[in-house]
Structure formats: C-alpha cells, structure tokens
Amino acid sequence: MMKRICLWLCLTALVVSLLGCHRPQPPAHEEETVRATDHGLSTENTGEANSAALQALIDRVALEGGTIYIPAGEYLFAENGNQTIGSHCIKMRSGVSIVGDGEATVLKPVGRSQYGLDMFYFNDYLDLNEASYLENCRFEGFVIDASGTSCETYTSAGKGFMFNLFRNCHWKNVTVKNTDATGFGVDCPIDSTISQCRAIGCGKAATERSTGASGFGIGFGYCNEECILILDCTADNNKKFGFFFEHQGCFDGEKYPAVQVGQFTVKNCTATSNLYGFGGIGAMNTTYEACNSEHSGRYGFLFENSTNSRAIDCRSQYEGEASFAMLHTPSYDAREMSEIAFLRCTAQHSPIGVKIVGEGTCAPLSEVRVEACQFSDTPGTVYTLGRLQRLTLIDNVSDTNENELLAVAVILQDSGNSWNE
C-alpha cells in the first residue's frame, strides 16, 4: 500500500507540473495508513453509525496526516452535520486521504433531507466566513452511490463531493452516481487533478432549468492562482452538463472577485447523453482538448458569457441543437466576451455545426474563431445571430456548405473554407 501511495504522489506531481500549476508538496513524514473497518466502519452498521465512525477517524488522522483505507463492501452513511445550505455525511479535513478497492468499495449516503445531502463536504468560506483551504487530500478507488437519497427542495446541495477552496487535492478512479445535485462539485481549486473518474446520472433532483446538477462542476473566482487538470474522465446521463466551469461571481461578486485565474484544462474526456456535454458559464482560461461529446440534449460544447476559452481537437456528434455553441446573453451586458475558439474540431450528425449568438445589448461578443474544423451531415454548418466584433472562419470543410451568417459582424474573415470555393 505504501509503495502505491508514493508512486501516486510522484505521478501527480509530474502531471500538475506539466499543467503549469505549482508542484504538490509531499508529506513531511511517512504517511500512516489505517483500515477503517478496524475503527468502527462496517457493512453491518446503520448509516448513522458509519458516519460517526468515519468522521471520528478522519478527525484523528488529520492530526498527523495519513490515509484511510476502506475495504471492499457496501457502507451506508447518513446525515451527520448541517451546513449553510443542506447537510452532509462527512466533513473532510486537510492531510487525510480516502482509498478503497475500486468498484468493490461502495459508499452509500441514504435518507431524505430538506435541501440535499453531500457525501464529502468542506466549505468554511460559506459556513464560517473563513477563507481556509482543504489541503493535501487524495481520493482513489471507490464509488459513491447516492441512489438512496432525496431532498424536499433542490438547492444545488446533494453532491458526492462538495468542496469550496481546496489545494493539492487529487481524485483517481472514483465514481459518483445518482446524486441529487452535481457529482463532483468542487470549487476554487489550486494545483489539483481529477483523473480516470466517472459521473453517472447526477442531478436527479433537478430540472433542466436548475443550477448545478452536472457530472463535474468546477466553480472558480476566489483568487488568481486557481487551476485544475481533468484527465481521462467520463460523464454520462447527467441532468445538465457533463463537464463545466462557472465563475462564482455571478452569485456573489464580493466573495468571488478574481478577474483573472490560472488554467483549467479538460483532456481526453467523454460526455454522453447529458443536456450539454462540455462547457462554461462565465468560463475563463478554459481548454477542452481531445474531448468527445455525443447525444447531448442541446449542445455538445457550449461557452456562455465566457472569455479566453477554447475547444481543440474535439469531436461532437448526434447533438440535439448544435455541436459547438457560443452564447453572449443580455445578463452579461457590461462584460466583453472575447477569444473563444474552436480549433481542429469535428462536428457530425447534428442540426448545426457551430452556433454563435451575441445578444448582449451593451458590449458585443468580441472575438470568435472557427479554424480547420470538419463538418459532416450538419445541415447548417455555421449559424450566427446578433452582434459580433470579430468573426474568423478559416480553413473549414463542410459537406453541405450551408451557412446562415445573420449576425452583424464588424470584422469578418471568411477564407480558405470549402464554401469559398
């Protein structure tokens, strides 16, 4: 077990350094590994007993730092603490890692709550008005199955992981499914990674108009250092997005004032049968690279009111409305949305290849670039509406060449495309 822990820390340090974030700091001493079933956790326990046992063990291990190993089995958990909105089974502590036996270790939060029940929780910023960080945690090799939870009122609580402000935390081979709200709802990350994880059927208590309710939902906006890498993950049948980023300033501009952040990168990930596959709302410095979306209810890739964000070498097919979309809505009138790019992407079997709508009545959508993309069986290749400052269409290939460029574009560069021939 200790060899595996050391190897994982080394690989994580390499991945995060390649991302451009700071290198994670190794523990100052050899980690203690404790077996949770030696400290009261049991497949025979009630949810109340297991929540109390695991919480007590986490609190003890946090004093020195270490890893809690949960063997194969199905463990019930119940409400064990209240928070500003919702309740939780376990409050995480810095320096504690949770490791299981892969798909054979199943953690099952159960019970009906008023506003939603989170499995793992940390949010001192909202609860205590203290901007403290959850630091140096690892989650590997287990399943959170929230099929036994329900809530009276949907509030975006009810997640597998609900963290706000965390640093050097890493997920690998973790599945979250059937949550009332978002599966991995982790906000304001620094130097963190999520790899080989799955979000399935999350957002079950929400509607398509609800906030959150996605597979992987990353909020940001507290400080300029924020960055995360999401690698080799899948998101299937979630109520809203498979993967998305959202500036939290739209909810509270005083608490989330950052106007610049680090890099958010999602690479080699797949989204299937979500309302939206990949995207961002107020996204910033977000890159989707070599990602695949299919059978989305609306869009495969959506950037709404976003800036300096892009999809590169991505594929989108069989989407409900469009493969790739960029929307600038009136609610963001005062902001100039700019530098959105779709580069070397492929759109197939969708009604529209790229949909670009600038509806802001004050600031126009500043710059959108569609370059070297391939469009097949998309009756409408490029559709635009509203106001655009600059639209660049270069070296794209379509088998229909049917465009509706209805937007007022101050600068339009349209060259080298199959429809120019």
Side-chain angles (χ1 to χ4, degrees):
M1 176 66 71
M2 289 308 303
K3 290 182 179 179
R4 187 172 70 173
I5 291 169
C6 292
L7 176 60
W8 166 241
L9 289 171
C10 292
L11 290 174
T12 297
L14 175 61
V15 168
V16 176
S17 65
L18 291 173
L19 172 62
C21 300
H22 302 294
R23 182 181 296 273
Q25 297 300 311
H29 55 83
E30 185 171 307
E31 278 191 352
E32 175 189 17
T33 298
V34 296
R35 189 181 182 97
T37 50
D38 292 339
H39 296 268
L41 196 71
S42 172
T43 58
E44 304 299 321
N45 277 352
T46 64
E48 290 81 0
N50 275 335
S51 290
L54 184 56
Q55 187 68 69
L57 183 57
I58 286 173
D59 294 346
R60 182 180 73 77
V61 172
L63 298 175
E64 297 292 335
T67 295
I68 295 173
Y69 165 60
I70 303 178
E74 185 175 287
Y75 303 86
L76 300 180
F77 292 88
E79 182 177 322
N80 189 44
N82 296 316
Q83 56 214 43
T84 302
I85 298 176
S87 54
H88 58 266
C89 300
I90 300 296
K91 182 172 182 179
M92 279 304 301
R93 309 290 186 191
S94 292
V96 179
S97 295
I98 308 292
V99 174
D101 280 325
E103 296 289 317
T105 297
V106 181
L107 314 183
K108 295 197 69 172
V110 295
R112 184 168 178 80
S113 59
Q114 184 174 4
Y115 297 121
L117 177 63
D118 299 319
M119 179 63 208
F120 290 104
Y121 178 82
F122 181 87
N123 192 353
D124 286 352
Y125 191 36
L126 183 60
D127 292 341
L128 307 176
N129 202 30
E130 296 177 0
S132 55
Y133 276 78
L134 178 70
E135 299 184 280
N136 307 323
C137 297
R138 182 170 59 95
F139 306 93
E140 181 178 355
F142 59 88
V143 176
I144 297 173
D145 180 359
S147 56
T149 65
S150 62
C151 62
E152 296 174 14
T153 303
Y154 180 82
T155 63
S156 80
K159 300 176 172 70
F161 296 91
M162 193 288 142
F163 297 161
N164 190 16
L165 277 64
F166 61 99
R167 179 187 288 110
N168 192 29
C169 293
H170 306 280
W171 289 258
K172 183 178 181 181
N173 189 26
V174 174
T175 298
V176 178
K177 57 185 181 180
N178 304 320
T179 52
D180 286 337
T182 296
F184 295 80
V186 288
D187 296 344
C188 304
I190 297 177
D191 303 343
S192 297
T193 61
I194 303 175
S195 65
Q196 299 174 36
C197 291
R198 296 156 297 278
I200 304 169
C202 297
K204 72 177 190 289
T207 71
E208 292 184 356
R209 294 179 177 271
S210 301
T211 59
S214 299
F216 298 81
I218 314 299
F220 66 92
Y222 174 70
C223 76
N224 294 345
E225 299 176 74
E226 293 167 4
C227 59
I228 194 169
L229 171 65
I230 302 178
L231 180 67
D232 297 329
C233 295
T234 60
D236 300 331
N237 293 290
N238 301 290
K239 186 62 64 72
K240 291 288 289 294
F241 286 89
F243 301 80
F244 89 110
F245 292 82
E246 183 174 42
H247 198 302
Q248 299 301 285
C250 64
F251 302 110
D252 190 334
E254 291 186 4
K255 280 186 174 292
Y256 301 95
V259 296
Q260 185 58 268
V261 293
Q263 183 64 44
F264 304 124
T265 301
V266 180
K267 188 172 183 179
N268 296 332
C269 293
T270 300
T272 305
S273 299
N274 309 282
L275 185 62
Y276 310 100
F278 300 83
I281 301 175
M284 188 181 296
N285 298 351
T286 299
T287 298
Y288 292 106
E289 183 177 352
C291 292
N292 296 317
S293 173
E294 60 181 40
H295 295 291
S296 300
R298 296 194 67 188
Y299 305 127
F301 292 78
L302 167 66
F303 290 115
E304 181 177 329
N305 302 323
S306 300
T307 188
N308 193 29
S309 297
R310 60 201 59 81
I312 303 173
D313 295 320
C314 293
R315 186 182 71 172
S316 175
Q317 60 181 347
Y318 299 105
E319 315 294 19
E321 294 186 24
S323 283
F324 300 91
M326 173 63 213
L327 307 180
H328 180 200
T329 62
S331 61
Y332 275 68
D333 278 345
R335 296 190 190 180
E336 182 179 278
M337 305 295 104
S338 64
E339 299 180 39
I340 304 301
F342 303 110
L343 308 175
R344 302 189 304 275
C345 293
T346 300
Q348 298 174 302
H349 313 297
S350 300
I352 297 173
V354 177
K355 180 179 180 179
I356 303 166
V357 179
E359 294 181 332
T361 57
C362 292
L365 180 54
S366 180
E367 183 171 352
V368 180
R369 187 178 190 91
V370 181
E371 182 175 348
C373 293
Q374 301 280 332
F375 302 93
S376 62
D377 194 22
T378 55
T381 303
V382 179
Y383 171 85
T384 70
L385 185 67
R387 295 192 306 151
L388 307 177
Q389 183 67 27
R390 178 191 292 268
L391 174 62
T392 302
L393 306 172
I394 298 179
D395 298 336
N396 301 291
V397 176
S398 169
D399 62 359
T400 64
N401 293 323
E402 294 293 331
N403 300 320
E404 286 191 78
L405 304 183
L406 305 179
V408 176
V410 176
I411 300 173
L412 171 62
Q413 182 176 356
D414 183 4
S415 62
N417 306 291
S418 62
W419 51 84
N420 301 131
E421 298 173 0

mmCIF file of all heavy atoms in Angstrom, residues 171-187:
data_model
loop_
_atom_site.group_PDB
_atom_site.id
_atom_site.type_symbol
_atom_site.label_atom_id
_atom_site.label_comp_id
_atom_site.label_asym_id
_atom_site.label_seq_id
_atom_site.Cartn_x
_atom_site.Cartn_y
_atom_site.Cartn_z
ATOM 1 N N TRP A 171 -8.072 13.317 -7.260
ATOM 2 C CA TRP A 171 -9.013 12.213 -7.398
ATOM 3 C C TRP A 171 -8.526 11.286 -8.499
ATOM 4 O O TRP A 171 -8.096 11.737 -9.569
ATOM 5 C CB TRP A 171 -10.384 12.725 -7.795
ATOM 6 C CG TRP A 171 -11.151 13.458 -6.753
ATOM 7 C CD1 TRP A 171 -12.192 12.974 -5.998
ATOM 8 C CD2 TRP A 171 -10.995 14.831 -6.344
ATOM 9 N NE1 TRP A 171 -12.683 13.952 -5.157
ATOM 10 C CE2 TRP A 171 -11.958 15.104 -5.350
ATOM 11 C CE3 TRP A 171 -10.120 15.859 -6.728
ATOM 12 C CZ2 TRP A 171 -12.083 16.347 -4.737
ATOM 13 C CZ3 TRP A 171 -10.231 17.097 -6.119
ATOM 14 C CH2 TRP A 171 -11.201 17.329 -5.134
ATOM 15 N N LYS A 172 -8.624 9.974 -8.259
ATOM 16 C CA LYS A 172 -8.282 8.989 -9.290
ATOM 17 C C LYS A 172 -9.181 7.769 -9.132
ATOM 18 O O LYS A 172 -9.332 7.234 -8.023
ATOM 19 C CB LYS A 172 -6.815 8.575 -9.186
ATOM 20 C CG LYS A 172 -6.384 7.604 -10.286
ATOM 21 C CD LYS A 172 -4.908 7.263 -10.180
ATOM 22 C CE LYS A 172 -4.498 6.315 -11.305
ATOM 23 N NZ LYS A 172 -3.056 5.946 -11.199
ATOM 24 N N ASN A 173 -9.782 7.339 -10.231
ATOM 25 C CA ASN A 173 -10.600 6.130 -10.249
ATOM 26 C C ASN A 173 -11.701 6.182 -9.186
ATOM 27 O O ASN A 173 -11.872 5.268 -8.388
ATOM 28 C CB ASN A 173 -9.723 4.888 -10.048
ATOM 29 C CG ASN A 173 -10.495 3.597 -10.268
ATOM 30 O OD1 ASN A 173 -11.485 3.571 -10.995
ATOM 31 N ND2 ASN A 173 -10.063 2.525 -9.629
ATOM 32 N N VAL A 174 -12.455 7.267 -9.200
ATOM 33 C CA VAL A 174 -13.609 7.429 -8.307
ATOM 34 C C VAL A 174 -14.856 7.597 -9.169
ATOM 35 O O VAL A 174 -14.859 8.356 -10.139
ATOM 36 C CB VAL A 174 -13.439 8.642 -7.378
ATOM 37 C CG1 VAL A 174 -14.710 8.889 -6.565
ATOM 38 C CG2 VAL A 174 -12.232 8.457 -6.457
ATOM 39 N N THR A 175 -15.922 6.889 -8.810
ATOM 40 C CA THR A 175 -17.206 7.016 -9.487
ATOM 41 C C THR A 175 -18.210 7.662 -8.553
ATOM 42 O O THR A 175 -18.324 7.262 -7.391
ATOM 43 C CB THR A 175 -17.740 5.638 -9.927
ATOM 44 O OG1 THR A 175 -16.843 5.051 -10.864
ATOM 45 C CG2 THR A 175 -19.122 5.761 -10.560
ATOM 46 N N VAL A 176 -18.930 8.664 -9.059
ATOM 47 C CA VAL A 176 -20.033 9.261 -8.310
ATOM 48 C C VAL A 176 -21.287 9.133 -9.167
ATOM 49 O O VAL A 176 -21.285 9.517 -10.340
ATOM 50 C CB VAL A 176 -19.772 10.740 -7.985
ATOM 51 C CG1 VAL A 176 -20.970 11.337 -7.255
ATOM 52 C CG2 VAL A 176 -18.510 10.892 -7.145
ATOM 53 N N LYS A 177 -22.354 8.591 -8.587
ATOM 54 C CA LYS A 177 -23.563 8.397 -9.377
ATOM 55 C C LYS A 177 -24.824 8.646 -8.551
ATOM 56 O O LYS A 177 -24.842 8.511 -7.327
ATOM 57 C CB LYS A 177 -23.605 6.999 -9.985
ATOM 58 C CG LYS A 177 -23.512 5.842 -9.004
ATOM 59 C CD LYS A 177 -23.431 4.515 -9.773
ATOM 60 C CE LYS A 177 -23.365 3.323 -8.845
ATOM 61 N NZ LYS A 177 -23.285 2.045 -9.608
ATOM 62 N N ASN A 178 -25.859 9.057 -9.269
ATOM 63 C CA ASN A 178 -27.219 9.182 -8.720
ATOM 64 C C ASN A 178 -27.344 10.217 -7.616
ATOM 65 O O ASN A 178 -28.201 10.097 -6.727
ATOM 66 C CB ASN A 178 -27.705 7.823 -8.195
ATOM 67 C CG ASN A 178 -27.646 6.733 -9.244
ATOM 68 O OD1 ASN A 178 -27.961 6.968 -10.400
ATOM 69 N ND2 ASN A 178 -27.216 5.542 -8.853
ATOM 70 N N THR A 179 -26.531 11.261 -7.650
ATOM 71 C CA THR A 179 -26.654 12.322 -6.655
ATOM 72 C C THR A 179 -27.832 13.228 -6.982
ATOM 73 O O THR A 179 -28.229 13.375 -8.135
ATOM 74 C CB THR A 179 -25.368 13.165 -6.591
ATOM 75 O OG1 THR A 179 -25.039 13.602 -7.918
ATOM 76 C CG2 THR A 179 -24.219 12.367 -6.020
ATOM 77 N N ASP A 180 -28.381 13.887 -5.960
ATOM 78 C CA ASP A 180 -29.451 14.853 -6.197
ATOM 79 C C ASP A 180 -28.944 16.046 -6.988
ATOM 80 O O ASP A 180 -29.673 16.620 -7.802
ATOM 81 C CB ASP A 180 -30.044 15.328 -4.867
ATOM 82 C CG ASP A 180 -30.928 14.269 -4.224
ATOM 83 O OD1 ASP A 180 -31.429 13.383 -4.951
ATOM 84 O OD2 ASP A 180 -31.116 14.313 -2.998
ATOM 85 N N ALA A 181 -27.706 16.450 -6.738
ATOM 86 C CA ALA A 181 -27.109 17.594 -7.418
ATOM 87 C C ALA A 181 -25.867 17.128 -8.190
ATOM 88 O O ALA A 181 -25.819 15.995 -8.667
ATOM 89 C CB ALA A 181 -26.783 18.685 -6.404
ATOM 90 N N THR A 182 -24.865 17.985 -8.312
ATOM 91 C CA THR A 182 -23.659 17.666 -9.075
ATOM 92 C C THR A 182 -22.877 16.532 -8.416
ATOM 93 O O THR A 182 -22.826 16.421 -7.197
ATOM 94 C CB THR A 182 -22.787 18.928 -9.197
ATOM 95 O OG1 THR A 182 -23.505 19.903 -9.964
ATOM 96 C CG2 THR A 182 -21.475 18.638 -9.884
ATOM 97 N N GLY A 183 -22.240 15.712 -9.238
ATOM 98 C CA GLY A 183 -21.431 14.627 -8.698
ATOM 99 C C GLY A 183 -20.159 15.125 -8.047
ATOM 100 O O GLY A 183 -19.966 15.009 -6.841
ATOM 101 N N PHE A 184 -19.263 15.700 -8.865
ATOM 102 C CA PHE A 184 -18.023 16.312 -8.374
ATOM 103 C C PHE A 184 -18.244 17.824 -8.403
ATOM 104 O O PHE A 184 -17.987 18.484 -9.411
ATOM 105 C CB PHE A 184 -16.845 15.940 -9.266
ATOM 106 C CG PHE A 184 -16.494 14.476 -9.278
ATOM 107 C CD1 PHE A 184 -17.219 13.575 -10.049
ATOM 108 C CD2 PHE A 184 -15.425 13.993 -8.532
ATOM 109 C CE1 PHE A 184 -16.899 12.222 -10.069
ATOM 110 C CE2 PHE A 184 -15.088 12.647 -8.546
ATOM 111 C CZ PHE A 184 -15.833 11.753 -9.310
ATOM 112 N N GLY A 185 -18.721 18.402 -7.315
ATOM 113 C CA GLY A 185 -18.985 19.834 -7.248
ATOM 114 C C GLY A 185 -17.911 20.495 -6.410
ATOM 115 O O GLY A 185 -18.099 20.744 -5.222
ATOM 116 N N VAL A 186 -16.763 20.772 -7.022
ATOM 117 C CA VAL A 186 -15.580 21.214 -6.281
ATOM 118 C C VAL A 186 -15.141 22.577 -6.809
ATOM 119 O O VAL A 186 -14.760 22.723 -7.960
ATOM 120 C CB VAL A 186 -14.457 20.168 -6.365
ATOM 121 C CG1 VAL A 186 -14.824 18.947 -5.513
ATOM 122 C CG2 VAL A 186 -14.204 19.682 -7.795
ATOM 123 N N ASP A 187 -15.173 23.582 -5.942
ATOM 124 C CA ASP A 187 -14.977 24.967 -6.354
ATOM 125 C C ASP A 187 -13.656 25.545 -5.861
ATOM 126 O O ASP A 187 -13.186 25.221 -4.768
ATOM 127 C CB ASP A 187 -16.110 25.838 -5.803
ATOM 128 C CG ASP A 187 -17.468 25.455 -6.371
ATOM 129 O OD1 ASP A 187 -17.509 24.742 -7.389
ATOM 130 O OD2 ASP A 187 -18.484 25.873 -5.777
#
